[in-house]
Amino acid sequence: VVLRATWLQKLLAPVVWTLFVLAVARPVWVDDPIEKIQAARDLMLAVDLSGSMEARDFLDPEGQRLDRLQAVKLVLDDFISRREGDRIGLIVFGGQAFLQAPFTLDHEVSRQLLDETRIGMAGPQTAIGDAIGLSLKAFETSEIPEKVLMLLTDGNDTGSKIPPLTAADLAAKQEIKVYTVAIGDPQASGEERVDLEALRDISTATGGRSFRAEDREGLESVYRELDALEPVELETLSYRPRRPLYFWPLGLGVLLVFGYHLLMGLRTGVQFLQRRHA
């Protein structure tokens, strides 16, 4: 078989140029869209673990008596599960306030850490002002405009380094709404007394609202009302991954050019040997 260079060039040239033009056009393969939830709000839960939370004045659906913390856990667990799109953080407080979970979209972490809390683990007193102050520090790194603190307590402030109203004023300046939920019997006295007026002043100062939960049913109604007050507006970021394909036509074009020159080199060698032995 005799290979003619001009015939092969005419055959390969348009193919190679087409491949190079296609490579310059930088074709891409577009994958299926991927959606990512963008947090709509940062919600900090501050839960009272003081000694007065041991009062067993809540009833479960079977009529069994629960202490105040058990009731809060049951209802708050369901509340957290419905907060799709919210980053949730958890602070526990007694005589001191501690950050248990920073803001996260992994709600299972918040629910598990809440379940592990125990009465008295943060001290026997009630430092409401310190809990608000610690929340403000947690919000400092937040870039989400909607910021909400939900303060759940059954007692009056007995051990704060920063007065609760002072902390509330600071929250208002940072545009953080505080919703207070008073847990337990408002007629209680001593350490179990609920300072409803102080809790109302805290929420009012920040543009939030104050609620009373005297039993488990009342606590559930509070969370339903909070759902209505703070609706979730989910934001999703959708993008389609792109994979470049230009290297396929480019590689094929280079391979054809290399193959052509290799073939022409072999052809020249064969012709040389034929003339030598003629």
Side-chain angles (χ1 to χ4, degrees), residues 182-247:
I183 309 294
D185 185 0
Q187 304 301 321
S189 58
E191 289 294 324
E192 297 180 3
R193 183 176 71 88
V194 180
D195 193 341
L196 296 176
E197 184 178 356
L199 294 179
R200 279 194 298 267
D201 289 342
I202 290 171
S203 57
T204 300
T206 64
R209 285 189 55 182
S210 183
F211 299 91
R212 287 170 54 180
E214 300 177 26
D215 52 33
R216 189 169 182 271
E217 183 177 343
L219 191 56
E220 290 175 342
S221 68
V222 167
Y223 290 131
R224 286 194 297 269
E225 192 164 351
L226 283 168
D227 277 335
L229 283 172
E230 295 291 339
V232 176
E233 296 181 2
L234 285 179
E235 297 181 24
T236 57
L237 299 177
S238 179
Y239 70 98
R240 304 187 72 168
R242 296 169 176 261
R243 290 182 288 172
L245 300 177
Y246 70 89
F247 49 83

Side-chain angles (χ1 to χ4, degrees), residues 31-38 235-241:
D31 287 329
D32 294 334
I34 296 176
E35 289 190 349
K36 178 182 178 182
I37 295 178
Q38 180 74 12
E235 297 181 24
T236 57
L237 299 177
S238 179
Y239 70 98
R240 304 187 72 168

Side-chain angles (χ1 to χ4, degrees), residues 78-193:
D78 182 56
F79 179 76
I80 292 174
S81 68
R82 299 198 305 270
R83 309 318 299 172
E84 185 180 2
D86 286 352
R87 293 200 314 166
I88 292 180
L90 175 65
I91 284 176
V92 296
F93 67 97
Q96 292 180 290
F98 300 94
L99 179 65
Q100 289 291 97
F103 292 114
T104 177
L105 283 170
D106 188 352
H107 296 171
E108 188 60 35
V109 171
S110 301
R111 294 168 68 182
Q112 181 177 348
L113 290 172
L114 175 64
D115 184 62
E116 292 173 356
T117 59
R118 297 292 181 267
I119 294 171
M121 64 184 295
Q125 294 181 306
T126 307
I128 295 175
D130 293 353
I132 298 174
L134 183 58
S135 299
L136 300 186
K137 289 184 178 180
F139 279 114
E140 286 179 353
T141 58
S142 172
E143 297 180 356
I144 298 176
E146 189 74 19
K147 302 179 180 68
V148 175
L149 167 62
M150 188 184 301
L151 179 68
L152 303 104
T153 178
D154 74 337
N156 54 324
D157 189 88
T158 59
S160 287
K161 297 176 182 177
I162 176 173
L165 280 180
T166 300
D169 289 337
L170 292 173
K173 291 178 181 178
Q174 297 183 28
E175 298 183 343
I176 299 171
K177 291 183 180 179
V178 180
Y179 290 91
T180 59
V181 181
I183 309 294
D185 185 0
Q187 304 301 321
S189 58
E191 289 294 324
E192 297 180 3
R193 183 176 71 88

